[in-house]
Amino acid sequence: MAQNNLARQAVPMKPLRVANPERPIHTTTGNQSVEVPKHLALSKFEKCLMTVGTVITMCMMVWLVSLKIGVSTAQQHLQDVNSRIASVQTKNVSTKQEVNELQNWARLDKIAQKDGLSLSNGKIRNVNK
């Protein structure tokens, strides 16, 4: 029963404050424009950082170009060496073929008979290194 009396002793609350209807909550600027700054000023650190970054970038670009030139030169040199190797190998093959033709048995027999000599096959030995 004691709880039933609590409801009767309630304190009346103040009414909520309602916004003034004459004054709008949000205002529009209408023809007024907000001025936006054209550029933001840079600090000395930022200017220094940009300068150092630009210098490093330029140095790396020059380094890259010089590396590419060096690689191209090395490739050209390699190509020249390979062409010289190919020509020497061709000469070697040609010379070996000529040696084999000069060592032909028929040729040697013909030369021996021309000078009045004879070939004794049992006494001939070929030694190759």
Side-chain angles (χ1 to χ4, degrees):
M1 284 253 184
Q3 290 181 355
N4 288 339
N5 289 336
L6 288 175
R8 291 184 189 150
Q9 295 176 358
V11 178
M13 296 182 75
K14 294 181 184 178
L16 292 174
R17 196 170 164 199
V18 180
N20 190 355
E22 296 168 1
R23 191 172 129 215
I25 297 174
H26 299 287
T27 59
T28 58
T29 57
N31 290 338
Q32 298 174 354
S33 62
V34 177
E35 190 173 327
V36 178
K38 293 183 181 178
H39 60 81
L40 187 61
L42 297 174
S43 68
K44 288 182 180 180
F45 174 73
E46 290 171 332
K47 288 179 184 177
C48 181
L49 189 63
M50 287 175 51
T51 303
V52 169
T54 303
V55 168
I56 289 174
T57 302
M58 292 299 224
C59 289
M60 290 179 76
M61 287 169 45
V62 169
W63 179 61
L64 179 66
V65 169
S66 68
L67 280 179
K68 285 198 175 262
I69 290 171
V71 166
S72 296
T73 304
Q75 285 178 340
Q76 180 65 35
H77 181 66
L78 177 65
Q79 195 172 22
D80 292 343
V81 169
N82 283 339
S83 66
R84 277 190 253 144
I85 288 172
S87 70
V88 167
Q89 286 176 342
T90 304
K91 282 183 183 179
N92 286 346
V93 168
S94 173
T95 305
K96 284 181 183 179
Q97 184 177 1
E98 186 178 343
V99 166
N100 286 335
E101 288 174 6
L102 292 175
Q103 288 179 345
N104 189 359
W105 285 105
R107 181 181 174 278
L108 292 176
D109 190 35
K110 187 190 242 183
I111 292 172
Q113 287 181 1
K114 180 179 160 185
D115 291 334
L117 302 171
S118 65
L119 287 174
S120 175
N121 288 338
K123 297 180 180 177
I124 297 175
R125 291 188 182 176
N126 289 333
V127 178
N128 293 328
K129 286 187 178 181

